[in-house]
Amino acid sequence: MSENLLLHIQNPNDLRQLKENQLPQLAQELRDFIIDIVSVKEGHLGASLGVVELTIALHYVFNTPEDLLVWDVGHQAYGHKILTERREKFDTNRQLDGISGFPKRSESIYDTFGTGHSSTAISAALGMALASNLKGDFEKQHIAVVGDASIASGMAFEGLNHAGVTDANLLVILNDNAIGIDPSVGALKKYLTAVKEGKNPKQNNMIKSLNFDYSGPIDGHDIFLVIKELKRLQQIKGPKFLHIITTKGKGLQQAEENQVQYHAPGKFDRTTGAIHLKSEENLPPKYQDVFGLTLLDLAKKNEKIIGITPAMPSGSSLKFMMDVFPDRAFDVGIAEQHAVTLAAGMATQGMVVFCNIYSTFLQRAYDQVIHDVALQNLPVIFCLDRAGLVGEDGATHHGVFDLAYLRCIPNLMLYAPLNEIELQNILYTASLGLQNPIAIRYPRGRGVVYNWKSEHFGNYKTIEIGKAKLIKKGHTIAVLSTGTIGNNVIEALTKVTDLDKIAHYDFAFIKPLDENLLHTIFTTFKTIITVEDGVIIGGFGSAIAEFASKNNYDANLKIIGIPDEFIEHGTVEELQRFCGIDVKSLENLFSAY
């Protein structure tokens, strides 16, 4: 048996000592290494398996880190991390105090740009290339690897549009695997498929028309061919575009055959590929499924209901509606800005539009929320999945800013349900017609209602806009919570010795606030504690503080939530503990009063 090559590679300098004919063996070892670790530690699998040959070829041909390599949708970059001085600690990937699951500048000189969201690599690499020109360095190479359908985003085209009129030494590599997290959609996918199948004449190439030196498509798993083409392109100045064809999940049969499930499969058997499924019997439902199944039920009764998501039909569970009403449920690809304004356009025509976007991804469409929806007071219903701390994906993906960045927008209502029943009820209420747009935020993971079943459909209750409610009476201290973090408060209060002293109120509506109830609270209690799973600057607690200041209340107000720093990766429980919003921390806080 031949010697293990990967064990002797700490960085790309070691890699470049190998002969080319050794690289296929290294590719197999790198694949096996990724599968071994991810099968036990979890993480993103399919994308990194698909770019193993490309990853090796890039570091073999180019002089990284002097040559600058940017990975788009950074979950492609596991192989890159392993080859760049992080192999020995790769088993800490996405764990508390371990390495990040995405490229991160503070982690390694080989991570030239942080990429957790998509479609940013071309702009970033172009910026680097233009800066090199300004510094008189015309030899440095700048490479953007664009994959997992992120080429279809508007920002990617903005970068291509600019690069095509520069002399920047930029190489854009399209890792074309026809899939993001879900299968790619849209006219661009059809065009790229036609290119792959040889159905487009070479002179009719949209990339060439943008003044790029276009080459390909080539087999991205033929490492010798990829190396040969990279070496050729290395000698060509100006903007270049290499189109490679890869298979997401390459090297693990199940991952190749079921690319959606094996994007991030959880724990699995590294030999057979079988996913270790946990029994879901007697477990509360996932919030995303409550959304998806409820929306489908409502859509069956109201033909004006529309569903929209930017590239996350499975993750958001909009797929339930897409399967039954394909003409009324739209996956628009990685295009959050388009999703929001598309929803606004439909709302002008009387449609009841549910626009489902992960909280962290709505940040990418902030102007559209303000300018196209709220300013025109169009009753779009934003359903923000993955709100709060999301766990191992870390700082790029936590949905902790939404309360702050949405609360300041006029006309926009903001609601965070305590549990899945309240989520159903607000979806139902919104479907009846609203006078204003609304954002409904709910977390990743499972709810708390263990007996939630399909019989809840049809038993909806209308929620009164702007009303909060008392959950537990008390006589000394008032705890005000918003959203599902209120369940931590409920549990923590059961452990407090002097149970009668603390009252608990659920403020599902962050905007508009229930000011009548707040007047009662501030005239009754001298100590008020707010609890949220969003940033404390500008969030729910800030709204309560503003109310107190406006009305000259002098209560002792303590705001508990996400501190003013970017929270890294770890389990949700670990991160809640760090932020002081887990059950034990809240119990200790309440007991101290």
Side-chain angles (χ1 to χ4, degrees), residues 517-531:
L517 182 56
L518 281 174
H519 282 297
T520 299
I521 292 170
F522 273 90
T523 55
T524 304
F525 300 94
K526 287 301 181 183
T527 297
I528 296 169
I529 302 171
T530 67
V531 181

Side-chain angles (χ1 to χ4, degrees), residues 466-517:
K467 288 298 180 182
K469 63 183 178 183
L470 174 67
I471 293 179
K472 176 190 167 300
K473 293 182 179 180
H475 54 74
T476 306
I477 300 165
V479 177
L480 283 53
S481 67
T482 185
T484 58
I485 200 67
N487 295 293
N488 283 11
V489 174
I490 292 171
E491 185 175 348
L493 287 175
T494 65
K495 303 174 185 294
V496 174
T497 303
D498 189 359
L499 189 60
D500 292 337
K501 70 178 180 180
I502 302 178
H504 180 201
Y505 295 86
D506 171 37
F507 276 77
F509 275 101
I510 301 96
K511 187 177 184 181
L513 282 170
D514 189 340
E515 294 198 352
N516 288 334
L517 182 56

Side-chain angles (χ1 to χ4, degrees), residues 359 362-363 366 369-370 384 387-388 398-410 412-416 439 441 482 510-511 532-543 546 559 562-564:
S359 171
L362 188 64
Q363 296 162 189
Y366 192 56
V369 174
I370 294 174
L384 307 188
H398 294 314
V400 296
F401 302 107
D402 51 14
L403 295 181
Y405 74 68
L406 293 174
R407 191 175 68 83
C408 61
I409 302 176
L412 183 65
M413 299 185 291
L414 189 52
Y415 184 91
R441 73 184 297 267
T482 185
I510 301 96
K511 187 177 184 181
E532 61 195 295
D533 61 352
V535 291
I536 58 176
I537 294 181
F540 170 62
S542 290
E546 291 162 13
I559 299 174
I562 310 301
D564 185 27

Side-chain angles (χ1 to χ4, degrees), residues 14 106 302 322:
D14 298 331
S106 61
N302 184 348
M322 292 177 69

